[in-house]
Amino acid sequence: MASGAERRLYWWVAVSALLLDLATKFLAERYLFRSSGHSVFGDWFQLRLVYNPGAAFGLHLGPYSRWIFMVIAIGAVVLLYRYHRNAERGDWFRQLALGLVTGGAIGNLVDRIRSTQGVVDFLDLGVGAWRWPTFNVADMAVSCGAVLLAISLWREDARREAAQALPGRPLPPENTPPEPAVSGPRDE
């Protein structure tokens, strides 16, 4: 179970990601609404307002997409919160990852609840016709958090395998280096 400080990290990261996402979406809608876009770094990086009624990469499930993705997002937030509560003590890295994913998921959920147009996307990267799908701060938080969560889970698996290789030794905490193996006398 996570300590009080780790819970605060999770909530601080989740709320910060959410507030940054909501603030940037507000500014995008206010300043990009009647614009064809604003060049930040030439053609490579532009600010362009787009409403995405589907999910990542424009995945669309027909007329019920909004409701389907809303239910999925709510379920994801509940699961992420449970993972946060049940994370091992000392696993700050996992709390950071879960906070990012939670904040981003809630940010896009807020868009789905407040508007039938879809999620506000405004960050446009690419060159010429070769463009990455337009995204937002919530998408960045979810993507970065997901990568960090995958690394955290991989590290946990590696620690468990190391502990199983040495029976009788407890699993070391997340942020402590493993003790060196002590070799005893050999029976030959």
Side-chain angles (χ1 to χ4, degrees), residues 13-14 16-18 20-21 96-105 107-108 135-148:
V13 170
S16 296
L18 173 61
L20 182 60
D21 179 61
L96 171 67
L98 291 169
L100 284 168
V101 178
T102 300
N108 283 339
F135 58 99
N136 59 42
V137 172
D139 297 335
M140 290 190 302
V142 168
S143 297
C144 292
V147 169
L148 294 178

Side-chain angles (χ1 to χ4, degrees), residues 3-4 26 29 55 60 64 67 81 83 85 90 120 130 147 184-185 188:
S3 71
F26 170 79
E29 286 188 301
H60 198 271
Y64 299 107
W67 302 105
Y81 178 75
Y83 285 141
R85 295 286 299 171
V120 174
W130 297 82
V147 169
E188 295 183 21

Side-chain angles (χ1 to χ4, degrees), residues 31-32 35-42 45-49 122:
Y31 294 108
L32 299 173
S35 166
S36 62
H38 176 73
S39 175
V40 178
F41 294 115
F45 177 40
Q46 299 176 15
L47 301 175
R48 183 180 321 277
L49 181 62
F122 59 92

Side-chain angles (χ1 to χ4, degrees), residues 34-134:
R34 297 200 186 275
S35 166
S36 62
H38 176 73
S39 175
V40 178
F41 294 115
D43 186 43
W44 183 78
F45 177 40
Q46 299 176 15
L47 301 175
R48 183 180 321 277
L49 181 62
V50 174
Y51 292 95
N52 181 359
F57 306 110
L59 177 66
H60 198 271
L61 300 176
Y64 299 107
S65 283
R66 176 180 180 216
W67 302 105
I68 292 168
F69 292 126
M70 206 181 297
V71 169
I72 291 170
I74 291 168
V77 169
V78 169
L79 283 174
L80 290 164
Y81 178 75
R82 290 186 67 195
Y83 285 141
H84 145 71
R85 295 286 299 171
N86 295 323
E88 291 181 19
R89 220 180 169 83
D91 198 346
W92 296 84
F93 195 74
R94 181 156 312 162
Q95 295 297 332
L96 171 67
L98 291 169
L100 284 168
V101 178
T102 300
I106 293 172
N108 283 339
L109 176 61
V110 167
D111 279 359
R112 291 187 197 290
I113 291 170
R114 76 177 181 88
S115 172
T116 58
Q117 290 180 290
V119 173
V120 174
D121 288 334
F122 59 92
L123 300 169
D124 182 14
L125 297 175
V127 177
W130 297 82
R131 316 287 316 156
W132 187 258
T134 307

